[in-house]
mmCIF file of all heavy atoms in Angstrom:
data_model
loop_
_atom_site.group_PDB
_atom_site.id
_atom_site.type_symbol
_atom_site.label_atom_id
_atom_site.label_comp_id
_atom_site.label_asym_id
_atom_site.label_seq_id
_atom_site.Cartn_x
_atom_site.Cartn_y
_atom_site.Cartn_z
ATOM 1 N N ILE A 702 -0.213 15.181 -9.355
ATOM 2 C CA ILE A 702 0.137 14.282 -10.364
ATOM 3 C C ILE A 702 -0.032 12.826 -9.750
ATOM 4 O O ILE A 702 0.309 12.563 -8.623
ATOM 5 C CB ILE A 702 1.613 14.344 -10.809
ATOM 6 C CG1 ILE A 702 1.910 15.844 -10.988
ATOM 7 C CG2 ILE A 702 1.974 13.396 -11.908
ATOM 8 C CD1 ILE A 702 1.450 16.346 -12.257
ATOM 9 N N ASN A 703 -0.610 11.872 -10.564
ATOM 10 C CA ASN A 703 -0.698 10.471 -10.225
ATOM 11 C C ASN A 703 -1.679 10.255 -9.045
ATOM 12 O O ASN A 703 -1.536 9.319 -8.239
ATOM 13 C CB ASN A 703 0.703 9.817 -9.930
ATOM 14 C CG ASN A 703 1.565 9.723 -11.113
ATOM 15 O OD1 ASN A 703 1.035 9.550 -12.202
ATOM 16 N ND2 ASN A 703 2.858 9.918 -10.906
ATOM 17 N N PHE A 704 -2.728 11.100 -9.043
ATOM 18 C CA PHE A 704 -3.771 10.830 -7.966
ATOM 19 C C PHE A 704 -4.965 10.167 -8.719
ATOM 20 O O PHE A 704 -5.126 10.455 -9.941
ATOM 21 C CB PHE A 704 -4.114 12.111 -7.316
ATOM 22 C CG PHE A 704 -3.178 12.563 -6.331
ATOM 23 C CD1 PHE A 704 -2.130 13.397 -6.654
ATOM 24 C CD2 PHE A 704 -3.291 12.276 -5.020
ATOM 25 C CE1 PHE A 704 -1.174 13.811 -5.708
ATOM 26 C CE2 PHE A 704 -2.331 12.656 -4.080
ATOM 27 C CZ PHE A 704 -1.320 13.428 -4.418
ATOM 28 N N PRO A 705 -5.820 9.478 -8.090
ATOM 29 C CA PRO A 705 -7.008 8.943 -8.640
ATOM 30 C C PRO A 705 -7.958 10.147 -9.003
ATOM 31 O O PRO A 705 -7.983 11.151 -8.274
ATOM 32 C CB PRO A 705 -7.711 7.978 -7.711
ATOM 33 C CG PRO A 705 -7.161 8.507 -6.363
ATOM 34 C CD PRO A 705 -5.727 9.036 -6.613
ATOM 35 N N PRO A 706 -8.733 10.111 -10.041
ATOM 36 C CA PRO A 706 -9.660 11.210 -10.387
ATOM 37 C C PRO A 706 -10.641 11.456 -9.287
ATOM 38 O O PRO A 706 -11.018 10.400 -8.614
ATOM 39 C CB PRO A 706 -10.390 10.714 -11.653
ATOM 40 C CG PRO A 706 -10.038 9.362 -11.833
ATOM 41 C CD PRO A 706 -8.840 8.962 -10.990
ATOM 42 N N ARG A 707 -11.020 12.653 -9.076
ATOM 43 C CA ARG A 707 -11.926 12.985 -7.983
ATOM 44 C C ARG A 707 -13.361 12.766 -8.527
ATOM 45 O O ARG A 707 -13.614 12.778 -9.698
ATOM 46 C CB ARG A 707 -11.847 14.510 -7.677
ATOM 47 C CG ARG A 707 -10.502 14.929 -7.071
ATOM 48 C CD ARG A 707 -10.451 16.365 -7.135
ATOM 49 N NE ARG A 707 -9.127 16.837 -6.866
ATOM 50 C CZ ARG A 707 -8.732 17.348 -5.678
ATOM 51 N NH1 ARG A 707 -9.635 17.442 -4.758
ATOM 52 N NH2 ARG A 707 -7.466 17.776 -5.566
ATOM 53 N N LYS A 708 -14.234 12.732 -7.454
ATOM 54 C CA LYS A 708 -15.647 12.791 -7.815
ATOM 55 C C LYS A 708 -16.014 14.135 -8.176
ATOM 56 O O LYS A 708 -15.731 15.051 -7.368
ATOM 57 C CB LYS A 708 -16.470 12.258 -6.661
ATOM 58 C CG LYS A 708 -16.318 10.742 -6.327
ATOM 59 C CD LYS A 708 -17.507 10.363 -5.444
ATOM 60 C CE LYS A 708 -17.111 9.135 -4.599
ATOM 61 N NZ LYS A 708 -16.081 9.389 -3.561
ATOM 62 N N VAL A 709 -16.737 14.452 -9.163
ATOM 63 C CA VAL A 709 -17.115 15.809 -9.658
ATOM 64 C C VAL A 709 -18.202 16.322 -8.647
ATOM 65 O O VAL A 709 -19.161 15.699 -8.492
ATOM 66 C CB VAL A 709 -17.635 15.827 -11.141
ATOM 67 C CG1 VAL A 709 -17.980 17.200 -11.485
ATOM 68 C CG2 VAL A 709 -16.663 15.233 -12.003
ATOM 69 N N LYS A 710 -17.882 17.424 -7.990
ATOM 70 C CA LYS A 710 -18.847 18.061 -7.112
ATOM 71 C C LYS A 710 -19.485 19.304 -7.893
ATOM 72 O O LYS A 710 -18.701 20.128 -8.291
ATOM 73 C CB LYS A 710 -18.159 18.646 -5.830
ATOM 74 C CG LYS A 710 -17.598 17.534 -4.907
ATOM 75 C CD LYS A 710 -17.292 18.082 -3.632
ATOM 76 C CE LYS A 710 -16.564 17.081 -2.860
ATOM 77 N NZ LYS A 710 -15.185 17.408 -2.562
ATOM 78 N N GLU A 711 -20.835 19.327 -7.974
ATOM 79 C CA GLU A 711 -21.417 20.498 -8.678
ATOM 80 C C GLU A 711 -21.456 21.722 -7.905
ATOM 81 O O GLU A 711 -21.590 22.806 -8.550
ATOM 82 C CB GLU A 711 -22.892 20.146 -9.057
ATOM 83 C CG GLU A 711 -23.007 19.491 -10.396
ATOM 84 C CD GLU A 711 -23.256 18.037 -10.371
ATOM 85 O OE1 GLU A 711 -24.412 17.687 -9.831
ATOM 86 O OE2 GLU A 711 -22.415 17.306 -10.779
ATOM 87 N N ASP A 712 -21.407 21.669 -6.608
ATOM 88 C CA ASP A 712 -21.614 22.910 -5.892
ATOM 89 C C ASP A 712 -20.298 23.672 -5.501
ATOM 90 O O ASP A 712 -20.354 24.731 -4.886
ATOM 91 C CB ASP A 712 -22.448 22.717 -4.572
ATOM 92 C CG ASP A 712 -21.723 21.562 -3.788
ATOM 93 O OD1 ASP A 712 -20.914 20.788 -4.364
ATOM 94 O OD2 ASP A 712 -22.047 21.526 -2.694
ATOM 95 N N THR A 713 -19.117 23.198 -5.901
ATOM 96 C CA THR A 713 -17.920 23.968 -5.661
ATOM 97 C C THR A 713 -17.655 24.935 -6.792
ATOM 98 O O THR A 713 -17.899 24.783 -7.953
ATOM 99 C CB THR A 713 -16.617 23.076 -5.461
ATOM 100 O OG1 THR A 713 -16.706 22.140 -6.615
ATOM 101 C CG2 THR A 713 -16.716 22.316 -4.203
ATOM 102 N N LYS A 714 -17.039 26.087 -6.425
ATOM 103 C CA LYS A 714 -16.786 27.232 -7.346
ATOM 104 C C LYS A 714 -15.781 26.716 -8.389
ATOM 105 O O LYS A 714 -15.843 27.112 -9.583
ATOM 106 C CB LYS A 714 -16.099 28.399 -6.605
ATOM 107 C CG LYS A 714 -17.038 29.278 -5.877
ATOM 108 C CD LYS A 714 -16.351 30.422 -5.243
ATOM 109 C CE LYS A 714 -15.568 29.930 -4.081
ATOM 110 N NZ LYS A 714 -15.249 30.887 -3.005
#
Side-chain angles (χ1 to χ4, degrees):
Chain A
I702 315 284
N703 291 328
F704 284 88
R707 297 166 191 259
K708 294 198 202 65
V709 180
K710 293 193 188 115
E711 265 104 64
D712 53 341
T713 46
K714 281 182 285 203

